Amino acid sequence: MSITIQSSSFRQFFTQKLLAAAMVSLLTGFIAVAPAYAQEKPMSTTNQQAALPRVLLLATGGTIAGSADNRGSGAYNSGAIGAQQLVSSVAGLGDLASLSAEQIASIGSQDMSDDIWRKLASRIQKAFDQGEADAVVITHGTDTMEETAFFLSLVLKTDKPVVLVGSMRPATALGADGPANIYEAVQVAVDKESKGRGVMVVMNDQIDSARGVTKTHSTSVQTMQSPNLGSEGYVDLGHVRFVKPAAQGQFLKLPEAPLPRVEIIYSHSNMDALQIEHAMADKAKGIVLAGMGDGNTSKAALAALEKAAAQGIVVVRSTRVSKGYVNRNVEVDDSKSGFIASMDLNPQKARVLTQLLIANGVTDPQKVQEAFLNGH
Ligand code: GLU
């Protein structure tokens, strides 16, 4: 029997860490590739389920529903495993909640769109308004999970918990993290302390707020972190422990898709005004600067941004740095230029808030700035 070793970093990781375990499996004849969700566990009986909290699971795809054709492979198809299979095959899930599952999309979250956001938001609001569910869990790719979580946190009107969950390894990988993450997401969703906390992300034993969370590592299972705000809590050997009080969010009406065009412009050395001029020519309604440091950029880019703000384009200064606030009027005179400082929000989240504000008719820089300060 021969073992082919591929040269991806994912492959190397598992080769180094887990070769011994894989060898034992292979030598004992376990050569079939069995996804982590394959062993379907029976759900609780109907009587038990009647007393359990009702959780609606909405599946959108991502690695958590990914499948590879061999266990050590770094290559896989996002969204190959359906919502029903995700729910019915995580051991013990049926003892935590009475679950129903629906497929909203089957995508890698790099393809997340305004249409799917609207679909998700409308379905969740309906489920809560019509008393169909006590909590919602959304399975989602990690690439844009923070944007979907933040979007939903702004447009949902509810005190019921909404938990986004993903994984970094596909279901077919050795050490797949999806099943444990789904279990913990449901644990958090049904915990009585979760009420009033809005939209959360649960991954790898950690609970993070929609506002605070961001993807910080391209491959590690400990990727979702809240660099500026810190985590909301932890799932500690079956115990849900919140370490922060619930924060007050803000509500913006769910607009029609597509959302207003808001561009993110990434700042770099030797920066000219071209990208900003293109955004203006493309009729962007807003520009978010992923600035250097405290939201800085070159003189040429700043002059172009001032022109954009003078034309009524909403200009927000955020930062390409992974941690820290962008404050008003430090090296840039925001008051004079009509700019908004993004505070704790990274460029991709600043974009979501700017889109929703513009769609709700809020474009005055002072009002936009107030919204950026609201809820952090
Ligand atoms: N790019 C895929 C996605 O975001 C996979 C990443 C993941 O789920 O962790 O859906």
Side-chain angles (χ1 to χ4, degrees):
M1 186 180 299
S2 70
I3 302 170
T4 311
I5 298 186
Q6 295 168 1
S7 62
S8 71
S9 59
F10 195 76
R11 174 67 192 180
Q12 280 164 6
F13 171 80
F14 285 113
T15 304
Q16 287 159 10
K17 302 278 184 199
L18 299 169
L19 187 58
M23 287 291 287
V24 170
S25 293
L26 287 166
L27 291 172
T28 54
F30 180 71
I31 52 171
V33 174
Y37 301 110
Q39 298 296 316
E40 299 219 353
K41 296 280 174 196
M43 304 282 277
S44 301
T45 63
T46 313
N47 280 348
Q48 280 173 312
Q49 287 209 322
L52 291 171
R54 294 157 308 152
V55 173
L56 173 63
L57 183 135
L58 301 175
T60 67
T63 301
I64 196 162
S67 172
D69 51 14
N70 76 66
R71 278 187 169 258
S73 172
Y76 59 90
N77 298 317
S78 279
I81 294 169
Q84 282 301 342
Q85 194 181 351
L86 284 177
V87 166
S88 60
S89 56
V90 177
L93 209 55
D95 299 327
L96 290 178
S98 167
L99 282 132
S100 54
E102 290 174 24
Q103 198 78 40
I104 297 289
S106 297
I107 56 162
S109 71
Q110 56 271 39
D111 284 318
M112 187 48 68
S113 66
D114 294 353
D115 280 329
I116 301 174
W117 275 355
R118 260 194 70 81
K119 203 169 162 190
L120 266 176
S122 307
R123 181 65 191 100
I124 297 166
Q125 196 65 59
K126 180 170 167 239
F128 288 153
D129 291 349
Q130 300 192 349
E132 286 177 60
D134 301 308
V136 167
V137 169
I138 303 166
T139 56
H140 197 292
T142 55
D143 285 359
T144 59
M145 182 181 280
E146 65 198 81
E147 286 152 83
T148 300
F150 190 46
F151 175 84
L152 292 174
S153 77
L154 293 168
V155 300
L156 291 175
K157 217 173 192 178
T158 182
D159 64 354
K160 293 185 176 166
V162 175
V163 178
L164 280 88
V165 63
S167 76
M168 291 302 285
R169 299 174 187 158
T172 43
L174 289 166
D177 51 335
N181 285 347
I182 291 181
Y183 189 88
E184 291 187 349
V186 174
Q187 270 186 312
V188 172
V190 302
D191 192 272
K192 58 182 187 323
E193 299 282 319
S194 291
K195 199 169 171 213
R197 287 181 180 270
V199 180
M200 293 171 274
V201 165
V202 173
M203 273 187 61
N204 211 36
D205 303 341
Q206 205 165 288
I207 310 166
D208 290 276
S209 70
R211 179 153 187 144
V213 75
T214 188
K215 184 170 183 174
T216 63
H217 196 288
S218 56
T219 55
S220 167
V221 294
Q222 193 57 51
T223 187
M224 303 310 284
Q225 305 284 358
S226 299
N228 287 326
L229 304 186
S231 292
E232 296 292 292
Y234 302 89
V235 186
D236 172 16
L237 293 180
H239 298 102
V240 175
R241 299 188 200 285
F242 286 104
V243 295
K244 292 210 299 198
Q248 200 64 34
Q250 61 185 311
F251 171 72
L252 290 163
K253 212 167 123 278
L254 177 66
E256 293 298 322
L259 295 173
R261 186 175 181 90
V262 174
E263 300 291 354
I264 296 175
I265 308 268
Y266 200 94
S267 209
H268 52 82
S269 46
N270 200 27
M271 174 107 173
D272 60 25
L274 263 184
Q275 289 185 75
I276 296 158
E277 285 163 8
H278 284 154
M280 290 162 75
D282 286 348
K283 308 230 177 318
K285 299 277 183 273
I287 295 174
V288 173
L289 178 74
M292 302 128 170
D294 194 12
N296 294 314
T297 195
S298 67
K299 289 189 176 65
L302 263 187
L305 288 173
E306 276 182 7
K307 256 192 221 159
Q311 288 179 18
I313 295 172
V314 178
V315 176
V316 179
R317 291 189 308 110
S318 182
T319 177
R320 64 182 198 175
V321 178
S322 58
K323 193 170 184 179
Y325 279 54
V326 171
N327 297 289
R328 278 187 73 76
N329 300 328
V330 181
E331 288 185 70
V332 175
D333 192 340
D334 294 300
S335 303
K336 180 175 137 279
S337 304
F339 297 161
I340 292 98
S342 74
M343 311 311 293
D344 57 307
L345 293 181
N346 65 23
Q348 54 271 32
K349 286 200 187 159
R351 176 175 177 270
V352 171
L353 179 53
T354 305
Q355 286 182 298
L356 282 172
L357 288 168
I358 295 171
N360 277 271
V362 181
T363 55
D364 173 66
Q366 200 181 323
K367 293 266 179 313
V368 176
Q369 185 67 73
E370 280 165 21
F372 271 77
L373 283 161
N374 185 348
H376 79 96

